[in-house]
Amino acid sequence: MLSIGKLSLSIPCILAPISGVSDLPFRMLNRSFGAPCAFTEMIDVKAIRSLDKRTQHMLSTNADDRPLGVQLLAGDSKDIRDALKTLENYEYDLLDLNAACPTPKVVRKGKGAWLLRDPHTLKEILEVMVHYAKTPVTVKIRSGWDSDSVNAREIALHAEDAGISALFIHGRTKVQGYSGTVDYETIKTVKDAVKIPVIASGDNVNVHHVKKMFDRTGCDGVAIARGSFGNPWIFSNLIQFFQNGSIGDMPPVNVRVEVMKYHLNLLNQHYGERRALSIFHKFFIWYTKGIGKTRALRDKAFRIETIEDITALIEEFHDLDNRQELRSVIERN
Ligand SMILES: Cc1cc2nc3c(=O)[nH]c(=O)nc-3n(C[C@H](O)[C@H](O)[C@H](O)COP(=O)(O)O)c2cc1C
């Protein structure tokens, strides 16, 4: 069991903040497979103040989308109070500060992973968040800026001093981005240094990797990011794993087909047809990964302009659970 403040999660696994992915439909899909907690993607505090349509979509939620964490991007403590005022109109359970994003346009503005180079500003922002937030505050950090400046332990201690309730750590440096090996040792060092719960991120792509993360670091919980792409059943597999130690399988193609249609439907309800289709294209690729020889179907998916046509394409996968039958579909396309 993982507890953050008064929040207790049935399994110690959280759907991570994922820019361009963890919107309301995606969170609801993963919750339907048992994700006990989920995060919005990172949202700049300045965007919260102006609240344009894109930001409203990022913040949209519903009564079943709980518990929910909202992740903020900020480079100083100035706009936090205003952002929190706006957020009073939204229901959420955790407030996280992103000190991990490696994207140049974020780092250039002194936000995201830049804060790893400026522990005092990081602490100051967190103190303001802790003071004004109505929920527990958390932070997401990386192991360090680069391999010569691995300072996660120092950053974690500053953050804990600011009064946060839990810490997320992606076990890679800013310079590594999203590739290269995960530094389990540094996550363990952080876990041993602080008293608050530590939730570890990095290559938690299946039950085996999640087990490895717990074994190697002693972390209190894990965040699931790329492991959920086209693979929401990672959460039902994790539930089984925590119940009886079983590893679980990928569902057969016909189950994947139903999940794809369900996800598409959630996107359509939330965004309308045009936007739903453009978002669904990347998911189509993730869902069909590993099915084998699906290139032609994927190419076709990108040219499709209606929900009806993409649903028909998805249905082509129905009852096809061996390569032989799949091949004949591809030839027809
Ligand atoms: C496309 C993409 C978008 C991401 N967006 C965010 C984000 O908005 N906030 C954040 O804290 N981390 C973000 N991350 C990082 C993930 O939450 C996670 O820490 C990282 O991918 C490592 O976990 P994994 O190897 O299991 O994917 C993103 C990762 C990816 C691949």
Side-chain angles (χ1 to χ4, degrees), residues 120-136:
H120 293 287
T121 301
L122 174 94
K123 187 175 173 198
E124 196 181 292
I125 297 172
L126 288 173
E127 279 169 347
V128 174
M129 286 171 68
V130 169
H131 187 80
Y132 291 107
K134 59 176 183 179
T135 67

Side-chain angles (χ1 to χ4, degrees), residues 16-19 42 71 98 140 170 178 201-204 225-226:
I18 316 169
S19 184
M42 58 185 181
Q71 190 186 61
N98 182 318
K140 163 102 174 271
H170 179 185
Y178 296 101
S201 174
D203 285 354
N204 291 325
R226 285 173 291 189

